[in-house]
Amino acid sequence: MRSKTNNQKHINLLVTIDDNYLLPLITMLKSYSRVHKKIKTDVYLVHSKLEEKDIDELIDKIDNKNIKIHDIKASYYFANIPSLERFQNES
């Protein structure tokens, strides 16, 4: 969703991933960052398995001051959700 706040563009993104999708997320956000260099963006990262080092790697590799990562550890929300072997709860 794109909104204007004080004449500045702002985008909120919500992503749910597990540790298998960290590198594709980095690739996606680097690409996004190149196209939208000046747009302030909040990325809400919902996960149950990522470690602090993973979040730090994500922030370091994106290297864009206009992108803010909000780390949302949601293992509690995924605790009672049935899952299939092929699909992680984050899906």
Side-chain angles (χ1 to χ4, degrees):
M1 172 182 254
R2 187 181 282 189
S3 63
K4 288 191 175 185
T5 307
N6 298 331
N7 293 328
Q8 290 185 338
K9 291 181 182 178
H10 181 254
I11 294 179
N12 293 312
L13 297 174
L14 170 68
V15 293
T16 59
I17 68 167
D18 66 9
D19 51 344
N20 293 314
Y21 286 92
L22 184 61
L23 290 178
L25 177 61
I26 289 170
T27 301
M28 179 192 85
L29 290 176
K30 284 172 80 169
S31 176
Y32 170 87
S33 178
R34 280 189 218 112
V35 174
H36 303 289
K37 293 176 187 170
K38 297 182 180 182
I39 296 178
K40 294 204 179 283
T41 303
D42 287 304
V43 177
Y44 297 89
L45 176 61
V46 180
H47 64 90
S48 62
K49 298 179 185 176
L50 296 180
E51 298 177 14
E52 189 173 334
K53 68 177 182 62
D54 298 322
I55 306 303
D56 291 342
E57 177 184 1
L58 175 63
I59 292 167
D60 289 343
K61 290 196 174 177
I62 294 169
D63 192 33
N64 182 326
K65 302 298 182 206
N66 286 324
I67 295 178
K68 181 173 182 180
I69 304 295
H70 301 273
D71 180 18
I72 303 171
K73 185 133 178 128
S75 53
Y76 169 80
Y77 298 108
F78 297 132
N80 295 319
I81 297 174
S83 65
L84 299 173
E85 190 173 313
R86 289 183 54 190
F87 299 102
Q88 297 297 319
N89 286 338
E90 286 87 346
S91 302

